[in-house]
Amino acid sequence: MGGYGDVQMLNEDGTRMDGRRPDELRKIEIEVGVVPVADGSARVQWGTNLAIAAVYGPMEAHPRKISRQDRCVLDVRYNMAPFSVTDRIRPGFNRRSREIGKVTANALESVVQLELYPRSKIRVEIEIMCAEAGTRCVGLTAASVALADAGIPMTDMVVSVASGKVNGVVILDLNKEEDNYGDADLPMGILPNSGELVFLQMDGDLSPEDFQEAWDYNMGAAKEIHEIMVAALAARYGGDD
Amino acid sequence: MGGYGDVQMLNEDGTRMDGRRPDELRKIEIEVGVVPVADGSARVQWGTNLAIAAVYGPMEAHPRKISRQDRCVLDVRYNMAPFSVTDRIRPGFNRRSREIGKVTANALESVVQLELYPRSKIRVEIEIMCAEAGTRCVGLTAASVALADAGIPMTDMVVSVASGKVNGVVILDLNKEEDNYGDADLPMGILPNSGELVFLQMDGDLSPEDFQEAWDYNMGAAKEIHEIMVAALAARYGGDD
Amino acid sequence: MGGYGDVQMLNEDGTRMDGRRPDELRKIEIEVGVVPVADGSARVQWGTNLAIAAVYGPMEAHPRKISRQDRCVLDVRYNMAPFSVTDRIRPGFNRRSREIGKVTANALESVVQLELYPRSKIRVEIEIMCAEAGTRCVGLTAASVALADAGIPMTDMVVSVASGKVNGVVILDLNKEEDNYGDADLPMGILPNSGELVFLQMDGDLSPEDFQEAWDYNMGAAKEIHEIMVAALAARYGGDD
Amino acid sequence: MSIPLVPGLLRDHLRELSERDERVDGRGRLEGRPLEVEVNPIERAEGSARVRMGDTIVYAGVKFQIMTPYSDRPDQGGLMTSAEIRPIAGRNWEPGPPSEESIELGRVVDRGIRESGCIDVNKLCILPGEKAWQVIIDLHAISDDGNLFDAFALAAIVALRNATLPAERFDVGEDERLELSCTPIMCSYHKVGGRFVYDANGEEELGGDERIHITLGDDGHVHSLQKGLRGAFTSEEFNDIMGAARARREELMQLVESLEQD
Amino acid sequence: MSIPLVPGLLRDHLRELSERDERVDGRGRLEGRPLEVEVNPIERAEGSARVRMGDTIVYAGVKFQIMTPYSDRPDQGGLMTSAEIRPIAGRNWEPGPPSEESIELGRVVDRGIRESGCIDVNKLCILPGEKAWQVIIDLHAISDDGNLFDAFALAAIVALRNATLPAERFDVGEDERLELSCTPIMCSYHKVGGRFVYDANGEEELGGDERIHITLGDDGHVHSLQKGLRGAFTSEEFNDIMGAARARREELMQLVESLEQD
Amino acid sequence: MSIPLVPGLLRDHLRELSERDERVDGRGRLEGRPLEVEVNPIERAEGSARVRMGDTIVYAGVKFQIMTPYSDRPDQGGLMTSAEIRPIAGRNWEPGPPSEESIELGRVVDRGIRESGCIDVNKLCILPGEKAWQVIIDLHAISDDGNLFDAFALAAIVALRNATLPAERFDVGEDERLELSCTPIMCSYHKVGGRFVYDANGEEELGGDERIHITLGDDGHVHSLQKGLRGAFTSEEFNDIMGAARARREELMQLVESLEQD
């Protein structure tokens, strides 16, 4: 959270600089099957964010050190392309990416039926090709669709979205400027069928009341995003949406 | 060895700036069993040096590449905490620490009865939490007590201490200022029962006569330190000291 | 290729600054068996270039990950000693060296009868001790002789040499100054018996005609270098050359 | 960190205890382990703390360095938190580059402190555009019997509250205490045997599911959250532990204030 | 990159196809796969391209940074090309430090561009001895079904031809298009079943022998060559593919010019 | 370095030889192997030496760089010694990051030179606070048949004694010889078959126990000691080899002086 400066991020009529209402999402487009050599894949365009996720496996888990007798290992990587942001990112080890990869893996492990594939590994690769704000949510959403495309059994899909606070007002799905000048960010990973959470982070400063409002915004938006995910899979597999 | 400048490190009456005689040790306190999750451990406070050592094992040696058919492998690490010195040390690869880890391992291998545990590994972890001067001796002493606490069979304990030379005078157990302005440092690892050596380094400039004096100081001090080590173990196990 | 500046690199009579004709090699000396502990080795002095190559193996290939059921693995390293050039090279990871190691390995794999040693490994170590220009050719030539010295069956030797272009004229075997001010460099790895190529790189700017001339210079020089290689082996093994 | 095999037996045992509302070491569901805090045990650090929670023991050490402010923030100093879980801390911690576990530990503790705004980075400026203080918090685990997160966060805030800016050593004025505007405190809850417990020990961590880390500031505001590990939870479960965290924060705040040195 | 086992069956099959002058996917010996090029798909990059050749998909992104010129070349900027083959690109690409394959890829594409002189490093100078532009081309593979070399080289040159120097953002003048003096294009030939084919796909790469990469400039000049992998070839074979490359370059040049944006 | 299995047979054999006061290659207990030293074999280095002791062959190369003096020592240059045992040197040396063996080698040779004070770091200063010479000694093993320590130390001191400061190339004056105030020389003793021998070869190293490295200066002063490997020794044993080292140093000193170039 940048959180400093007095830049005004809201119009007088309560709308946002990009014209959205406080509880309105950016435009989201999802396409399935975009990495021909992978077992499953998805492209998510979310505002100017662009994420591509691919799934390989299940395959034999090696080295043996990482193999588990009783279940499958999810090997999840989150990476930002060097040209995905204004100031180029050097390739290589990156603590932020490692942490996001870990919490993304934890979220997906909560829905993938790992016990079906003992001693196996499923690789989930998330590449952020263009970044605006909320890339971890965009990446987790893309990974969830790619797993479905790969036919990996899951108890539910994971829908991910963030809310935050700017100029004292709670808003849904911050864009880059809002994120830069915002006071808080609350990204969540939600199971649309059960309403349970499998991913949760938060940074910044939220009073109990603001916190509840941001939470509720995310819960509401999850349904909307879930429909787009289902439609993208249906478009590929000809199911009804 | 700093070895430059004309700073006076001795008082006119032959005592040192901290009041010690030339052949007097700093204050040493040893406590056993300070790492509850380890198989053996020791804390050594030596002047303002603070070292904590822990022992894990014997356990199966893996990866197989390091395993030995005929004996146990001692895996020794020496590390200085980032905040243990005036100018913070960056975590990570460090040639000095690697070398001290190696010579410490060589010293301990000379007393641990490695042949009793073929294909096994014993891990010895030495952390310097606060450093004054002589940390390699403090760490080796702590490791030796931790191994005893873990019940690892040894032919003898290793007692480690250094002497050096400041302003032309040979002195025992240099403190930080003496080390900074000293001309030489001779750390040794001594077996108190046999009088043999298992660790020896030296840096600086010592004439044959000064060298012998420093050697004798160390030999004498080893007895004194050994008593403190034995007392610490007895305090935990109720044996007689 | 430096390729800029108007420095004159040729004399008015068509000879080069070091007195050579355009199609004349620098002086080459080869000695076999210079690394006593290796299975085969060679030292090549080529102008002021000095390369030493050693071969170890065939030996068991491990880790198993790299082992191949049907053939031997060639593990080739190319390295420049820190003091081999005017500005010291830091030891450690180096993209240029890694690439040269790879193309050198590819060249040697084309002649070594790898199928004779399944599940095995042959190590080829090339050290550039002093560098002028053309070190990759010097190293590949040294490695080829070292493999022969080790008695590794090969379908042919690899002879390596480069031509280039300076001040608009195609010349053979550029020295350091010529390389610095040259417009192009065409190193090749040639099998003297069949005339086939197993190594080819090129950088710079060559018209189709110049390209052909450089190609032909290399082909011609390969015969000459091959004789020196054979003589060096004969000198050690007493065969006729 | 190497991954130990979790015996199904342990998970079964923890579930049975949970059904009787018991814990493996006899504690209540929201009860912490015995807690010891030592202030400034490290003479070379500018601020330090040792925290023991049951058999978990950690140190935090604060060091200061002079930095050149970033060109887009010429009047600000910096803050860095680094967690190094060295293999002394337990059988399963291995040497080598930082593991994902230690990266997450360092970053979650860092965010709790950073996002609370307790350190005013503007006050760390010495000479705009030229010199500012960088605060470095190093977290060092000695014995890991579970819940390193809370132990590190508590050690870090105690070390910061008792740290002195070494201005004389760097020749930029007189030594003075580091000022903190609030006191962020982390409380972690781990799902063990199907329900969330506070301050899980090593055995509970091994046989448990997801955990949630909550960092709260002075005024009940939330500054940082993190859900770790595999598992799903409901809004009701979250509300329950958020309430527990608010209560526990007050208790820990009293402890921290009682430790103050002058 | 992990090394997959190559079934002898595949090599046999490719050899039989070759004897009938056929290819595994029905193409002619010198025929490329269907080609799609998208210009500037990445909003944050200063120039970018997406290239699809059959099931091979790659991106190139151009970024600019301000650098201090090297002291021995005070009036020159710099150029850097980096290929990162992340594990998304295929089953055999592994995470970790750059593999030899990706190092070779980056360096061969880099040399083709650098040695053609298409970027005049003197024009990258902003203030001699103090400020110059550094051009960074990052190559990113999304799906590897063979011939990443040509896909990367094509994406790189298209991204460069459509790149804008972000002078306003760095406060050094007005934004302007990067000027290129020529258009180096790479054509790669792979020996499959005993003869060289153009634009090998993944299966052909797996069962093939050596490959040769040829980069040609506007005037028929050769700027870069690289022979990769195990295998020997004759002068005649080389002359054959060099001729094919000259013809193919003209076709690709027309495509590249047709994409120009303004 | 990979650890070869030591056959008990070898240790038994070495012990039997020792009991007859013999060595595996027929030498006396304190006798060195045939020694060859070549001065300045490397044209690009500012000073260099090649040392052959039996089948052990090493090079040392000296390079100079311009450094900015450290702020707390504005009138001093620097010295760095780096040992890189690349896999060319023998079957058991492996590629990768520096092994503990090579770190110890570099540091022990470095200390012998540094602590003798033979290089006066004050004389390396060119312009106080701004420019000073950094001396870099790179040690490079070509063939390891035991006792790299002594071979490296001898090559290093010969390379230094024959090194020229390249002042003209750096535009800071005229080239001149590096001045050394004394000549530290290392002698290493290895316990083989129960007694210490001088200049152990590879087989003796493999079947031996601890080793002791002694660096002596011109005046009989001790500058550096290091005990390596597993094993214990008595004060009497140490006095014995210290005496031997003093005698051997004189012989080696004569050799070094006889090599001087002008």
Side-chain angles (χ1 to χ4, degrees), chain F residues 81-102:
Chain F
T81 309
S82 165
E84 209 195 349
I85 321 297
R86 294 195 45 84
I88 194 174
R91 195 169 292 267
N92 298 317
W93 289 102
E94 291 174 343
S99 63
E100 289 186 343
E101 285 81 6
S102 67

Side-chain angles (χ1 to χ4, degrees), chain F:
Chain F
M1 195 177 191
S2 70
I3 309 159
L5 280 176
V6 183
L9 280 174
L10 173 60
R11 289 183 70 89
D12 292 349
H13 179 53
L14 292 171
R15 168 138 325 252
E16 284 164 25
L17 286 169
S18 170
E19 282 163 6
R20 300 197 301 268
D21 198 25
E22 291 177 7
R23 288 175 75 173
V24 73
D25 58 1
R27 279 184 285 156
R29 185 170 75 89
L30 300 175
E31 185 183 345
R33 290 173 290 179
L35 181 59
E36 275 174 43
V37 183
E38 190 182 346
V39 176
N40 284 341
I42 305 294
E43 182 155 328
R44 292 272 176 270
E46 272 93 45
S48 62
R50 174 180 178 278
V51 167
R52 177 168 188 156
M53 295 166 58
D55 281 349
T56 290
I57 302 174
V58 306
Y59 285 79
V62 174
K63 297 293 294 180
F64 294 93
Q65 293 179 347
I66 300 283
M67 65 182 279
T68 308
Y70 295 109
S71 57
D72 55 340
R73 299 178 180 191
D75 50 1
Q76 293 191 356
L79 168 67
M80 187 176 108
T81 309
S82 165
E84 209 195 349
I85 321 297
R86 294 195 45 84
I88 194 174
R91 195 169 292 267
N92 298 317
W93 289 102
E94 291 174 343
S99 63
E100 289 186 343
E101 285 81 6
S102 67
I103 292 172
E104 189 185 14
L105 269 162
R107 287 178 61 85
V108 172
V109 173
D110 181 87
R111 283 202 293 268
I113 292 166
R114 182 183 303 277
E115 299 293 339
S116 77
C118 67
I119 295 177
D120 183 343
V121 285
N122 291 296
K123 290 205 179 146
L124 297 176
C125 184
I126 299 169
L127 195 64
E130 298 202 8
K131 276 187 183 177
W133 291 109
Q134 183 182 31
V135 187
I136 306 178
I137 307 166
D138 280 294
L139 306 172
H140 208 85
I142 290 298
S143 180
D144 172 17
D145 189 37
N147 199 13
L148 287 178
F149 281 86
D150 286 3
F152 274 156
L154 186 59
I157 195 69
V158 172
L160 284 171
R161 284 178 64 116
N162 293 280
T164 300
L165 288 158
E168 290 161 22
R169 178 151 61 85
F170 287 99
D171 210 14
V172 292
E174 282 179 31
D175 287 5
E176 54 179 326
R177 281 290 274 276
L178 177 69
E179 274 182 53
L180 296 197
S181 64
C182 69
T183 305
I185 288 181
M186 188 189 293
C187 297
S188 297
Y189 297 84
H190 206 113
K191 193 177 277 183
V192 178
R195 45 101 205 236
F196 280 100
V197 304
Y198 172 63
D199 184 26
N201 68 17
E203 212 172 349
E204 291 176 317
E205 280 193 350
L206 192 61
D209 295 302
E210 76 267 27
R211 56 177 189 231
I212 295 177
H213 313 285
I214 301 173
T215 304
L216 299 173
D218 287 357
D219 42 11
H221 280 210
V222 192
H223 293 307
S224 171
L225 292 174
Q226 180 93 345
K227 181 258 182 181
L229 303 183
R230 179 189 186 188
F233 60 94
T234 64
S235 295
E236 292 68 38
E237 285 176 312
F238 181 78
N239 289 337
D240 166 54
I241 60 175
M242 178 62 97
R246 291 192 196 284
R248 179 61 177 161
R249 185 197 178 277
E250 296 314 306
E251 294 172 16
L252 291 171
M253 188 62 205
Q254 284 184 19
L255 171 70
V256 169
E257 285 180 337
S258 74
L259 296 165
E260 224 66 356
Q261 293 191 330
D262 32 21

Side-chain angles (χ1 to χ4, degrees), chain E residues 95-162:
Chain E
S99 62
E100 288 185 344
E101 285 81 6
S102 66
I103 291 172
E104 190 185 14
L105 268 163
R107 287 179 61 86
V108 172
V109 174
D110 181 87
R111 283 202 295 266
I113 292 166
R114 182 184 304 277
E115 299 294 338
S116 76
C118 66
I119 294 177
D120 183 344
V121 286
N122 290 296
K123 291 206 179 145
L124 297 176
C125 185
I126 299 169
L127 196 63
E130 299 201 8
K131 275 188 185 178
W133 290 110
Q134 183 181 31
V135 187
I136 305 177
I137 307 168
D138 280 294
L139 305 172
H140 207 85
I142 290 299
S143 181
D144 173 16
D145 189 37
N147 199 13
L148 286 179
F149 281 86
D150 287 1
F152 274 156
L154 186 58
I157 195 67
V158 172
L160 284 171
R161 284 178 65 116
N162 293 279

Side-chain angles (χ1 to χ4, degrees), chain B residues 34-37 39 48 50 52-54 56-57 59 77 79 81-88 91-92 123 125 127 129-132 176, chain D residues 42-46 52 55 57 59-61 63 65 80 82 84 86-93 95 136 138 140 142-145 169:
Chain B
V34 299
V35 180
V37 299
D39 296 314
T48 53
L50 173 61
I52 298 177
Y56 291 92
M59 58 179 82
R77 265 172 294 277
N79 181 62
F83 46 71
S84 63
V85 287
T86 304
D87 294 322
R88 175 176 183 261
R123 278 174 38 199
E125 310 288 347
E127 296 289 327
M129 305 301 289
C130 192
E132 206 190 328
K176 191 171 172 233
Chain D
I42 304 295
E43 182 156 327
R44 290 275 175 267
E46 272 92 44
R52 177 168 188 157
D55 281 349
I57 302 173
Y59 284 80
K63 297 293 293 179
Q65 292 179 346
M80 188 175 109
S82 165
E84 210 195 348
R86 295 194 46 83
I88 194 175
R91 195 169 293 265
N92 297 318
W93 289 102
I136 305 177
D138 280 294
H140 207 84
I142 289 299
S143 181
D144 173 16
D145 189 36
R169 178 152 61 84

Side-chain angles (χ1 to χ4, degrees), chain C residues 79-156:
Chain C
N79 182 61
M80 297 185 74
F83 45 71
S84 64
V85 286
T86 305
D87 294 321
R88 176 177 183 261
I89 299 172
R90 261 173 202 253
F93 181 84
N94 181 313
R95 286 177 184 265
R96 176 182 172 276
S97 290
R98 289 283 293 275
E99 190 203 345
I100 296 179
K102 183 176 193 301
V103 293
T104 302
N106 292 157
L108 296 171
E109 283 165 353
S110 309
V111 294
V112 171
Q113 296 183 264
L114 301 172
E115 291 72 11
L116 297 178
Y117 306 105
R119 285 177 296 278
S120 300
K121 178 170 79 169
I122 296 173
R123 276 174 40 199
V124 179
E125 310 288 347
I126 302 167
E127 295 289 328
I128 306 299
M129 304 302 288
C130 192
E132 205 190 328
T135 59
R136 69 192 70 191
C137 296
V138 179
L140 175 50
T141 299
S144 184
V145 176
L147 281 162
D149 179 42
I152 306 292
M154 292 188 283
T155 55
D156 205 342

Side-chain angles (χ1 to χ4, degrees), chain A residues 192-211:
Chain A
N193 290 325
S194 69
E196 287 180 306
L197 279 78
V198 292
F199 167 58
L200 173 68
Q201 291 190 313
M202 184 246 150
D203 284 347
D205 182 12
L206 284 179
S207 69
E209 299 72 31
D210 289 339
F211 182 79

Side-chain angles (χ1 to χ4, degrees), chain B residues 32-177:
Chain B
V32 170
V34 299
V35 180
V37 299
D39 296 314
S41 59
R43 184 181 66 79
V44 176
Q45 182 91 41
W46 184 320
T48 53
N49 284 306
L50 173 61
I52 298 177
V55 170
Y56 291 92
M59 58 179 82
E60 199 193 343
H62 68 108
R64 192 128 63 91
K65 197 183 168 189
I66 66 149
S67 166
R68 301 292 299 260
Q69 292 284 11
D70 55 344
R71 64 175 180 89
C72 181
V73 171
L74 266 198
D75 189 11
V76 178
R77 265 172 294 277
Y78 164 98
N79 181 62
M80 296 185 74
F83 46 71
S84 63
V85 287
T86 304
D87 294 322
R88 175 176 183 261
I89 300 172
R90 260 172 201 253
F93 181 84
N94 181 313
R95 286 177 183 265
R96 176 181 173 276
S97 290
R98 289 285 292 275
E99 189 204 347
I100 296 179
K102 183 176 193 302
V103 293
T104 302
N106 292 157
L108 296 172
E109 283 164 355
S110 309
V111 294
V112 171
Q113 295 183 264
L114 301 171
E115 292 72 12
L116 297 179
Y117 307 105
R119 284 178 296 279
S120 301
K121 179 170 79 168
I122 296 172
R123 278 174 38 199
V124 179
E125 310 288 347
I126 302 167
E127 296 289 327
I128 306 299
M129 305 301 289
C130 192
E132 206 190 328
T135 59
R136 69 191 71 191
C137 296
V138 178
L140 176 50
T141 300
S144 185
V145 176
L147 281 163
D149 179 42
I152 306 293
M154 294 187 282
T155 55
D156 205 342
M157 302 269 276
V158 181
V159 182
S160 186
V161 63
S163 289
K165 190 176 165 188
V166 171
N167 291 157
V169 178
V170 174
I171 57 178
L172 176 71
D173 191 23
L174 282 65
N175 66 20
K176 191 171 172 233
E177 288 70 33

